[in-house]
Each structure stands twice: as structure tokens, then as C-alpha cells.
Amino acid sequence: MPELPEVETIKRGLQNELINKTIERVQIKTPTLIKMPRINEFLSKLQNSQIINVKRRGKYIIININIDYQLIIHLGMSGRLEFHPNSEKENLTKKYEKHEKHNHLYFFFEDGSELIYNDVRKFGKLWLLRKKKNLSRIETLGYEPLSEEFTLHRFSKLLKNSTKNIKKVLMDQKKIAGIGNIYANEILFQSRIHPLRKANLLSKNEVKLLFMNIQKILLEAIELKGTTMVDESYIDLEGNKGRYGEVIKVYGKKNSICPVCGQPLEIIRIENRSTFVCPNCQK
DNA sequence: AAAGTAACCTGCCCGC
DNA sequence: TGCGGGCAGGTTACTT
């Protein structure tokens, strides 16, 4: 589910709510989601620890704890975090009632608030690791597309070195971290580039356009707090929907026409993912 | 070496 | 109304 803008929105929420909070107790209902360390160690390390800050890398949330450990969360397709402030607990319980059976992990804080990890499909994962010993998967992530290290020059070099189709490259977390199926579709449509074009054969202008659209679209989506499709499988910490879905141009638009030229949109499968293309606009 | 497929899971939608 | 197939924001492992 969540791509960079959704994960960033959740991270900002956690940053607002969790800093300096002390974890009183952790309750685990689905131990298989915790990849490291063993459950007992996971529980005992977190108990009475204090949250220092919350960061994001690609689609990973990184919660730094005062004991030289960090809690790393990947939400997979359907993972959510819910924050329940002490005072509103009853209202919120009602609000989330129908999803309750997919609550897998509870963090209870000293002040009575709680954080819940909920995940229908259970593709999400959590790790508690020493800060120095970074998760290898995070170490191999590619450029953070909204950081200064992500320059046109580097992006262009990266594309030159790949003969794969451009959609695959945009979604390759080892090259650029955080772009998933929704935003890859939108970025390519707005850049008028067909997703099956070979990355190394794009023109200089196309590369520049792509580069600018990656940042423009991700920033707009963060501004609107991510994308919630009709099924509501993404909501933020407070249970609010993202509004980027209201301005989405092609993703999920089955039986629709191109908003630019009016031709019917095509749906093709690339890497087993639905890909929405205007055959007239995207060359 | 790129590209395709299946697997991990549950729920929902669509057509028959 | 019910059943089966296909599909869903991700990632990894295996095959062609």
C-alpha cells in the first residue's frame, strides 16, 4: 500500500505524537511479523525505553530509541499505524472497530496513549536492531528522491546504466527509494513517457522532465497526505484519508479516458502490476 | 541479464 | 445468494 508520501505522512504523525514517550509495555498478537530479534528480546528491550525521534528511509519507518536500538517498520501492502491518545480512546476504539481483528501489535505508553500496528494482509515487517548495525536492506536502498543527493546528473547516470524499462527502474528500491505503483504510473503519465521505454534510451529532455516530475508529484502527494483509494486501505495515524487520490490522473482509472486527450486509457501488466497508459500521450 | 511468475495473506468486487 | 476468479499501495525467490 504505502509509498513514500504515505509513509512520510505517517512518520510526521509519529514525530508529533511519540517523541519522548516512554513505552510501558508491548503486546504481541502476531509474532511472525517481528523478524528480529526473538520475541522475548524484542519485548524486554522495548519495555521502559524512550522514543528519541522518528525518521523515514524509502518506505521504511525508523523509530530511534534511547537504548542504542532502532525499531524499523515496513508496512507492506496493508500495514497501518493507529495512535490512540489517552483522552479519546473510546471514540477511537469505535472508529477502528471493524479492523480490530487485524491488530497485531500494541505499544502502551506511560501516559496512557497507545500505538497499534494493524495489517490485514500481514506483509508488513518489524525489526529492532542496534543503531550501528543497520538493516542490510536499508543500506542498499537507492537515492532518497527528495534529498539533495538526488541530482539530475546522478539520476541521468542511473538511467544510462539500465537497459530495463523505465517503470521498473523508477520502482527499483535499490535505485530510487520510495516510488511504488501509484506514483510510478502518475510520474510516467505526466512526463508523457511510455512505461515500457528502455531507461537508457530516453532523451535528455525526457530525463529532465521525469526528474522534475518525480519530485513535483511526491511533494504534492505529501502535501495532500498521500493517496487513499476507495477501499481506504491507507489512512494516517489519526485515521484520516489522504487526498492525493482526488487529483490522480491515471492510476486505478479503469474504463476511463485520458484527462489530457480523451482517448481511452489502456491497462497493461508490467512486472505483474497494473499499469495505466494513454497510448496517445505516452510515447 | 532482463523479465516473468509465484509466494506471502485477506478482503472485496465482478460475472455467472 | 453463492461461488470462483481476479485483483489490491510490496518484496523476495525462483524460473525462463
Side-chain angles (χ1 to χ4, degrees):
Chain A
M1 141 186 82
E3 306 180 33
L4 187 151
E6 292 75 32
V7 179
E8 177 66 20
T9 303
I10 291 167
K11 183 212 85 182
R12 291 180 183 185
L14 293 171
Q15 188 84 263
N16 280 336
E17 303 290 0
L18 299 193
I19 304 299
N20 294 331
K21 282 208 190 335
T22 300
I23 299 174
E24 195 175 76
R25 189 165 63 87
V26 180
Q27 189 186 338
I28 304 177
K29 287 176 61 190
T30 312
T32 50
L33 297 181
I34 292 152
K35 299 300 156 187
M36 251 196 269
R38 308 174 68 132
I39 302 305
N40 284 346
E41 198 183 337
F42 185 88
L43 292 173
S44 62
K45 287 256 160 45
L46 283 176
Q47 187 156 22
N48 298 322
S49 68
Q50 194 178 11
I51 291 168
I52 296 173
N53 62 34
V54 187
K55 313 232 177 229
R56 177 191 61 73
R57 181 79 172 90
K59 301 173 190 170
Y60 293 81
I61 296 166
I62 301 167
I63 301 178
N64 284 297
I65 317 279
N66 68 341
I67 49 163
D68 195 41
Y69 274 77
Q70 50 187 197
L71 177 64
I72 298 173
I73 305 176
H74 193 292
L75 299 168
M77 285 284 249
S78 53
R80 304 171 168 192
L81 288 165
E82 292 169 17
F83 181 73
H84 295 195
N86 194 14
S87 53
E88 299 171 38
K89 213 174 266 176
E90 276 168 31
N91 290 341
L92 283 162
T93 307
K94 208 166 258 174
K95 183 170 177 181
Y96 291 112
E97 215 162 18
K98 70 170 176 178
H99 309 291
E100 216 184 315
K101 68 168 170 172
H102 300 298
N103 288 351
H104 303 297
L105 209 56
Y106 295 82
F107 300 88
F108 298 103
F109 298 102
E110 219 172 42
D111 64 358
S113 60
E114 44 185 81
L115 183 71
I116 300 175
Y117 180 76
N118 175 291
D119 192 345
V120 172
R121 295 174 71 183
K122 292 185 280 196
F123 290 168
K125 298 175 169 71
L126 295 95
W127 301 259
L128 182 67
L129 300 173
R130 273 193 191 282
K131 280 172 195 169
K132 278 172 281 182
K133 192 173 170 285
N134 223 333
L135 190 60
S136 62
R137 235 170 299 173
I138 288 192
E139 281 173 342
T140 59
L141 286 176
Y143 295 118
E144 216 23 76
L146 298 178
S147 72
E148 282 180 15
E149 55 157 23
F150 187 59
T151 60
L152 175 58
H153 179 70
R154 286 176 177 152
F155 178 57
S156 144
K157 213 165 125 189
L158 183 159
L159 296 189
K160 282 259 149 36
N161 288 328
S162 178
T163 57
K164 296 175 189 165
N165 71 62
I166 182 63
K167 187 179 182 225
K168 184 167 182 170
V169 175
L170 292 181
M171 291 177 66
D172 183 345
Q173 303 301 304
K174 293 195 172 75
K175 297 199 164 65
I176 305 168
I179 299 173
N181 202 27
I182 295 182
Y183 298 105
N185 271 282
E186 293 301 302
I187 289 163
L188 287 164
F189 173 77
Q190 291 196 38
S191 305
R192 305 172 66 89
I193 294 170
H194 195 284
L196 288 174
R197 291 274 303 282
K198 302 288 177 197
N200 59 341
L201 298 181
L202 296 175
S203 74
K204 217 173 165 179
N205 278 341
E206 287 173 324
V207 171
K208 192 171 174 190
L209 192 56
L210 260 185
F211 177 75
M212 294 192 313
N213 280 328
I214 288 170
Q215 301 178 67
K216 189 197 85 171
I217 289 170
L218 293 176
L219 284 170
E220 279 172 5
I222 291 170
E223 193 77 17
L224 296 178
K225 305 193 169 181
T227 303
T228 301
M229 304 301 291
V230 276
D231 65 1
E232 287 183 38
S233 66
Y234 159 74
I235 47 173
D236 73 9
L237 262 199
E238 278 83 33
N240 301 314
K241 299 178 193 178
R243 302 196 317 278
Y244 192 75
E246 297 165 18
V247 301
I248 244 171
K249 305 266 196 293
V250 291
Y251 178 81
K253 308 269 182 191
K254 221 172 140 187
N255 304 320
S256 296
I257 56 166
C258 169
V260 172
C261 74
Q263 298 282 311
L265 292 176
E266 263 178 17
I267 305 177
I268 58 176
R269 302 275 308 166
I270 301 177
E271 307 280 301
N272 241 347
R273 315 297 295 278
S274 287
T275 307
F276 299 79
V277 189
C278 172
N280 187 40
C281 293
Q282 290 172 266
K283 301 292 182 193

